[in-house]
Structure formats: C-alpha cells, structure tokens
Amino acid sequence: MHVNKVEGNFHVTVGKSIPHMRGHTHLSAFIDTRDYNFSHRIDKLSFGPEVAGIINPLDGENAVTKANNYIYQYFIQIVPTEFNTRRRNLITSQFSYTNQQRELNHASGSHGIPGIFFKYDLSPLKVHINEVHYPISGLLIKLCGIVGGMFATSGILHRLVSFFVSSIKSQTDSSMSEEERLKAKAAKMESETTGSQR
C-alpha cells in the first residue's frame, strides 16, 4: 500500500465502504457483532525501503481479544531518515508509536467503530545518518596523544607526592626541639665512630 506524505490514516473494519464528501463511512448495520473479531498480528509495517539495522517497532505485534466489539488504535509518528554510506545513499523513514485499545459498549458510553486503526503523522524533522571513515594515521595520532597524556599526568602526580612528602618531612624536622636534634646528632656521630673503630 502506498500513502501520501501527509498526515492520514488507514484502517481495517467491518462493513462496506461508502464514499461521501468528507471521506467515507462503513455500512455494517446488517452484520452481527458475533460474526467478527479484530484480533490480529502485524507481520511487517514500514514506511520506505528497508535498511539493515533499523527495527520497525510494530513488526511481530500480536493483539488478541475475546470481545467482538473492540477497537485498536495505533498512533504513529514517522521520522524521515537519510542514510549516506560508502555503498549507497538511501531515503527511508523510521517511526515510533503509541497504542490504545478498548472494548466498545454504547450502553456504558464507550462509543466508536470496531476495527484496527493506524493514524500516522510525519515529523517536521529529518534525521541524517552519515558513515564517516578516518584514516589509520588519525588513529595512531590519537593513540600517541593518549600515551603522552598518561606520561604527563604521572609526572605531575609524582611531583605533587614528592612535594607533600618533603614538606611533611621538613615540618617534623622543624618540630623537633634543639635538645632532641643534638641527641640525634650525637647518636649519629657515635655510630659512625664505632663503625670506623671496627
């Protein structure tokens, strides 16, 4: 089935289609509601040519009801999509949908026509998907940048740790009293002299 590129709908319902000035209506007065059921399975629904990798969300949709007087409505938002690859350029469409279903009961105020209705609208936006290939030299340059960045970062971290260690060490040295420094110096000299006498 081909449809125009404007908002519209297509449907499956019971009765003979009778055209009139505003569209058409379905004459189903002589068909008993026990004679039909709108349980259905959608094997494939797409807008435009198929493209590998695009999943049409309604493919394989299965809806089952035991009620005969039932309405299924699918509200579809179509987004035009253009693919530019090395092999081909293609214009197609992707879509998303919401759905609503209910049993019709005119006595309780649930009115409508039983059937399966697809209402679609085109998005004013268009998606462009371009396949871009970078040369191997670009990959090598990026790898060199990553390795160089790792060396620079490790050098900065080494300097920061060395600075903090030396500042902590100098603070502990300055906090020692003069008497403790003289004792430490005497102990060091004594160990040196005993080591030289041996």
Side-chain angles (χ1 to χ4, degrees):
M1 171 172 49
H2 295 280
V3 295
N4 293 327
K5 290 186 177 180
V6 292
E7 179 182 344
N9 73 74
F10 55 94
H11 51 268
V12 177
T13 189
V14 69
K16 180 173 173 55
S17 176
I18 301 171
H20 56 79
M21 287 185 354
R22 290 186 168 180
H24 70 277
T25 188
H26 292 272
L27 181 62
S28 61
F30 304 111
I31 301 171
D32 190 6
T33 58
R34 290 174 292 179
D35 293 337
Y36 54 82
N37 183 301
F38 287 102
S39 297
H40 61 279
R41 175 182 166 82
I42 302 170
D43 288 322
K44 184 124 202 76
L45 179 66
S46 63
F47 296 89
E50 279 192 58
V51 176
I54 288 187
I55 298 169
N56 297 314
L58 276 173
D59 289 358
E61 177 75 12
N62 205 15
V64 178
T65 179
K66 291 182 179 178
N68 294 340
N69 215 13
Y70 213 79
I71 183 171
Y72 292 94
Q73 293 176 304
Y74 295 95
F75 302 97
I76 300 171
Q77 182 70 39
I78 302 169
V79 181
T81 307
E82 183 176 338
F83 288 90
N84 296 315
T85 65
R86 188 182 281 185
R87 295 182 186 150
R88 64 180 178 164
N89 295 336
L90 182 69
I91 297 175
T92 187
S93 294
Q94 302 179 73
F95 69 92
S96 62
Y97 79 97
T98 57
N99 67 335
Q100 180 182 5
Q101 58 193 40
R102 62 188 164 90
E103 186 173 0
L104 301 175
N105 186 343
H106 298 294
S108 65
S110 177
H111 302 293
I113 300 170
I116 307 165
F117 295 85
F118 297 89
K119 297 180 181 181
Y120 60 89
D121 190 15
L122 283 145
S123 171
L125 303 175
K126 184 176 188 180
V127 176
H128 290 273
I129 300 173
N130 296 317
E131 182 180 30
V132 178
H133 293 276
Y134 292 103
I136 192 81
S137 60
L139 174 68
L140 294 174
I141 290 169
K142 287 181 182 180
L143 286 174
C144 290
I146 291 169
V147 171
M150 288 170 55
F151 277 114
T153 304
S154 65
I156 291 170
L157 287 174
H158 182 284
R159 284 190 203 125
L160 284 172
V161 169
S162 299
F163 172 75
F164 286 122
V165 167
S166 65
S167 65
I168 290 170
K169 192 174 181 182
S170 67
Q171 283 179 355
T172 57
D173 287 347
S174 65
S175 66
M176 290 172 68
S177 66
E178 187 66 33
E179 189 178 317
E180 290 173 336
R181 267 192 237 136
L182 286 173
K183 283 182 184 177
K185 193 174 184 182
K188 186 178 178 183
M189 286 175 68
E190 186 179 318
S191 67
E192 286 176 359
T193 56
T194 55
S196 64
Q197 289 176 359
R198 286 183 193 168

